[in-house]
């Protein structure tokens, strides 16, 4: 939530939330989670929203309850076992390193529009991630020793790392 939004929220007296407002808030939360978790398949084809993302969407979410039954005529696949009932409390898992991650650093722009995460691993790589989507932005390969520590400069324009000697 931006500072500007917090100011607006604190300036208005609290109001009762109508059922439709509650439903919209729930659906928006679910959509944000759905896009975060299923960004890659959705980015390949928008139809993956229906054929994979909605099918794998946890059953106790407002999004699944409201929309899954609308697609009965298409005969969407049904997950029999192993499906989550609700969203994971962990919004995003960054997948890519092939060994243990031993250092993580983050940087945020002053307006909060950009949030980056850098991770260093015993696989001799550093990876840069978009923290909002969990998408890997780039890899820094070619290190000959494990990276023990990483950090961003204050303005976010430089990354620093320390190798074990």
């Amino acid at each position: 939530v931006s500072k500007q939004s917090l100011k607006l929220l604190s300036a208005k007296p609290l109001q009762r939330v109508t059922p439709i407002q509650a439903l919209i808030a729930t659906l928006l939360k679910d959509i944000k989670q759905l896009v975060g978790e299923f960004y890659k398949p959705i980015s390949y084809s928008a139809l993956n929203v229906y054929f994979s993302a909605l099918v794998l969407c946890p059953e106790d979410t407002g999004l699944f309850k409201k929309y899954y039954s609308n697609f009965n005529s298409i005969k969407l696949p049904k997950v029999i076992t192993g499906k989550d009932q609700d969203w994971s409390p962990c919004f995003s898992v960054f997948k890519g390193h092939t060994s243990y991650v031993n250092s993580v650093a983050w940087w945020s722009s002053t307006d909060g529009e950009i949030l980056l995460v850098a991770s260093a691993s015993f696989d001799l790589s550093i990876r840069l991630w978009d923290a909002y989507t969990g998408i890997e932005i780039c890899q820094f390969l070619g290190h000959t020793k494990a990276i023990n520590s990483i950090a961003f400069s204050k303005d976010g324009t430089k990354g620093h790392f320390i190798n074990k000697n």
Side-chain angles (χ1 to χ4, degrees), residues 37-68:
E37 291 201 23
F38 297 102
Y39 176 82
K40 279 193 179 182
I42 292 169
S43 70
Y44 295 131
S45 169
L47 288 176
N48 280 322
V49 169
Y50 309 109
F51 292 109
S52 59
L54 186 60
V55 170
L56 296 170
C57 184
E59 293 181 10
D60 287 344
T61 63
L63 194 62
F64 184 87
K65 290 175 183 176
K66 179 135 183 77
Y67 293 105
Y68 184 79

Side-chain angles (χ1 to χ4, degrees), residues 18 25 32 38 54 57 102 106 110 114 121:
T18 66
K32 179 180 177 184
F38 297 102
L54 186 60
C57 184
N102 57 342
W106 66 273
T110 55
I114 302 169
S121 170

